[in-house]
């Protein structure tokens, strides 16, 4: 298929992987008031999809082996679109929780398999993962930024505000329907070795005995735990520092938006230079400096910008590593499934850990120290992951 159509398919699929989560966050307080929803139930609307993204990720490889890569991604997009659209039928706590579950399952299938899709059609250009990561960030930012304005313009209709994001899914299903008849394993730029190994039709197993795959999973988990901790707690931290509610919300928006250009740029810089260790550590140090600035109560805007730069670079690199460390689309999908399975489960625990530390200490200082420790460990894992080859040999 045409290169630009393949890029469009990646972009529109990834655009659907976050709105069902991020469109909820700005409206949580409203939903609690309108639907008499408890705080625990409200937290499920964001925590449940993230847990599903981890728990059900291994199912992606099993389903792909049965019906094919592209068809599995289509089914995943159908689940996400259907769950989002269902929120427009009736506004109830039960529907919101069920759709969070179904949408999370859809995301868990699409997430790792999009890495396999990139490996299949662009085996020599792993920098294409930037399209995936940037599109996902754009989708998250759009849904988060426009949730309140849409709610106000729709006469305070929760059903319309939460379900309108299904439009992205409908477009994605139209685009991906072109792949439903694809039975071949040959990619757009497939190499001979990859095609030979892909044609074996052996079931893909999670590489649980592969040391590097385990380390990648740990890295993904540490990266995700910092990301979700900052996403969940940066606004409360700002409020505790004396910032206004409007300023606290603005800081979260800045944290999200700054990731878009970074997620587009970093993968291509790494692919061109081959210096993955350098950029991994650079992004991690950016996060580390941002947290240290918060520890010393320095101005939050530059700290949040540094955190956004770090998060925006680390996520696409976490997606890229399984692609460059494997030889076939099947292996790339299996490695991605394992890293996202363990990674998202670990990541979902991050905000809970920060909240628990805050509850016990009554201050965010201890929680920020814990985040510094997590980032330091993450840098150590990055050094080990990239230590097997020289920078030149590790070209990606």
């Amino acid at each position: 298929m045409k290169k630009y159509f393949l890029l469009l398919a990646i972009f529109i699929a990834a655009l659907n992987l976050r709105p069902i989560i991020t469109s909820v966050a700005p409206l949580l307080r409203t939903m609690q008031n309108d639907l008499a929803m408890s705080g625990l139930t409200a937290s499920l609307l964001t925590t449940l999809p993230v847990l599903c993204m981890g728990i059900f990720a291994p199912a992606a490889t099993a389903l792909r082996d049965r019906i094919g890569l592209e068809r599995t991604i289509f089914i995943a997009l159908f689940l996400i679109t259907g769950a989002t659209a269902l929120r427009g039928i009736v506004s109830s706590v039960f529907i919101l929780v069920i759709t969070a579950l179904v949408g999370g399952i859809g995301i868990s299938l699409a997430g790792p398999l999009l890495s396999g899709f990139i490996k299949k059609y662009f085996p020599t250009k792993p920098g294409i993962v930037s399209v995936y990561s940037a599109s996902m960030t754009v989708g998250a930012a759009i849904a988060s930024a426009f949730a309140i304005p849409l709610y106000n313009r729709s006469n305070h209709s929760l059903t319309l505000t939460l379900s309108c994001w299904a439009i992205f899914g409908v477009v994605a299903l139209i685009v991906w329907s072109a792949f439903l008849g694809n039975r071949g394993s040959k990619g757009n730029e497939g190499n001979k070795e990859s095609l030979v190994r892909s044609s074996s039709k052996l079931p893909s197993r999670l590489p649980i005995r592969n040391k590097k795959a385990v380390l990648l999973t740990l890295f993904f988990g540490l990266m995700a735990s910092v990301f979700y901790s900052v996403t969940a707690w940066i606004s409360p931290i700002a409020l505790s520092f004396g910032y206004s509610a409007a300023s606290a919300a603005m800081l979260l928006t800045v944290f999200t938006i700054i990731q878009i250009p970074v997620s587009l740029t970093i993968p291509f810089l790494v692919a061109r230079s081959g210096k993955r260790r350098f950029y991994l550590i650079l992004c991690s140090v950016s996060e580390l400096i941002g947290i240290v600035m918060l520890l010393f109560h320095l101005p939050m805007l530059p700290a949040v910008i540094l955190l956004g730069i770090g998060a925006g670079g680390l996520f696409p690199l976490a997606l890229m590593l399984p692609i460059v460390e494997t030889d076939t689309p099947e292996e790339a999908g299996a490695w991605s499934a394992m890293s996202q399975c363990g990674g998202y489960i670990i990541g979902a625990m991050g905000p809970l850990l920060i909240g628990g530390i805050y509850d016990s200490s009554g201050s965010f200082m201890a929680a920020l120290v814990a985040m510094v420790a997590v980032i330091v460990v993450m840098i150590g894992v990055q050094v080990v992951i990239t230590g097997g080859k020289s920078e030149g040999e590790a070209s990606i």
Side-chain angles (χ1 to χ4, degrees):
M1 291 190 177
K2 298 278 187 172
K3 172 183 176 181
Y4 294 110
F5 181 77
L6 294 169
L7 292 175
L8 172 64
I10 296 168
F11 179 87
I12 194 63
L15 197 67
N16 284 272
L17 300 188
R18 290 298 180 268
I20 197 171
I21 302 173
T22 58
S23 62
V24 166
L27 296 168
L28 273 180
R29 186 68 60 85
T30 300
M31 287 188 286
Q32 284 184 264
N33 294 334
D34 290 359
L35 303 175
M37 187 186 301
S38 69
L40 177 61
T41 303
S43 68
L44 285 177
L45 300 183
T46 52
T47 301
L48 192 58
V50 177
L51 286 175
C52 286
M53 286 152 58
I55 294 170
F56 292 98
T61 58
L63 191 58
R64 181 209 56 208
D65 288 340
R66 289 185 64 88
I67 66 175
L69 174 64
E70 294 84 357
R71 292 179 180 179
T72 305
I73 294 175
F74 182 89
I75 290 174
L77 292 171
F78 180 81
L79 290 175
I80 297 168
T81 305
T84 307
L86 187 59
R87 291 181 170 180
I89 296 177
V90 61
S91 182
S92 73
V93 175
F94 176 76
I95 290 295
L96 288 173
V97 172
I98 289 298
T99 53
L101 174 64
V102 174
I105 293 173
I107 296 170
S108 74
L109 298 178
L113 294 189
L114 281 174
S115 295
F117 185 85
I118 293 170
K119 182 71 175 181
K120 177 177 181 178
Y121 290 96
F122 300 95
T124 62
K125 296 180 179 180
I128 295 297
V129 78
S130 64
V131 175
Y132 172 7
S133 60
S135 177
M136 190 158 53
T137 305
V138 168
I142 290 175
S144 176
F146 286 96
I148 297 297
L150 283 172
Y151 177 73
N152 292 332
R153 283 182 168 269
S154 63
N155 293 321
H156 298 170
S157 171
L158 276 175
T159 54
L160 179 61
T161 305
L162 295 176
S163 65
C164 68
W165 311 108
I167 295 173
F168 292 158
V170 171
V171 175
L173 290 173
I174 293 172
V175 171
W176 280 83
S177 65
F179 294 99
L180 292 180
N182 189 351
R183 295 177 178 272
S185 61
K186 184 176 181 178
N188 189 48
E189 303 175 33
N191 55 51
K192 183 177 181 181
E193 179 184 359
S194 177
L195 292 178
V196 170
R197 296 186 64 177
S198 294
S199 63
S200 64
K201 300 297 183 181
L202 293 176
S204 302
R205 296 179 179 179
L206 297 184
I208 56 177
R209 297 183 179 179
N210 186 297
K211 179 182 177 181
K212 183 162 284 189
V214 172
L215 288 172
L216 284 177
T217 302
L218 179 58
F219 161 54
F220 198 107
L222 295 172
M223 177 274 301
S225 68
V226 174
F227 173 80
Y228 285 111
S229 295
V230 173
T231 301
W233 290 103
I234 195 64
S235 291
I237 289 173
L239 291 173
S240 73
F241 286 1
Y243 286 78
S244 67
S247 296
M250 180 273 293
L251 289 170
L252 178 58
T253 301
V254 170
F255 172 71
T256 303
I257 291 177
I258 197 69
Q259 295 174 48
I260 298 173
V262 177
S263 64
L264 276 170
T265 304
I266 291 294
F268 282 108
L269 291 176
V270 176
R272 176 167 293 185
S273 68
K275 297 180 178 179
R276 55 179 161 182
R277 175 187 288 184
F278 172 78
Y279 284 102
L280 281 167
I281 295 177
L282 179 66
C283 292
S284 299
V285 170
S286 180
E287 286 193 332
L288 185 62
I289 295 173
I291 297 297
V292 170
M293 290 178 69
L294 295 180
L295 269 172
F296 287 94
H297 284 225
L298 296 175
M300 284 194 66
L301 181 58
V304 167
I305 290 174
L306 287 171
L307 287 167
I309 291 172
L314 286 175
F315 185 72
L317 291 178
L319 295 176
M320 178 186 283
L321 287 173
I323 297 174
V324 301
E325 292 289 348
T326 55
D327 298 318
T328 69
E330 291 77 15
E331 286 181 340
W335 280 51
S336 296
M338 189 171 101
S339 66
Q340 293 186 32
C341 172
Y344 280 124
I345 292 174
I346 297 172
M349 298 301 106
L352 297 178
L353 175 63
I354 299 302
I357 294 175
Y358 175 76
D359 287 340
S360 63
S361 66
S363 168
F364 281 110
M365 292 302 102
L368 290 172
V369 170
M371 291 178 67
V372 167
V374 169
I375 295 172
V376 170
V377 173
M378 179 171 66
I379 292 174
V381 173
Q382 292 166 350
V383 170
V384 175
I385 291 174
T386 57
K389 298 178 182 178
S390 68
E391 287 289 324
E393 292 172 325
S395 175
I396 56 176

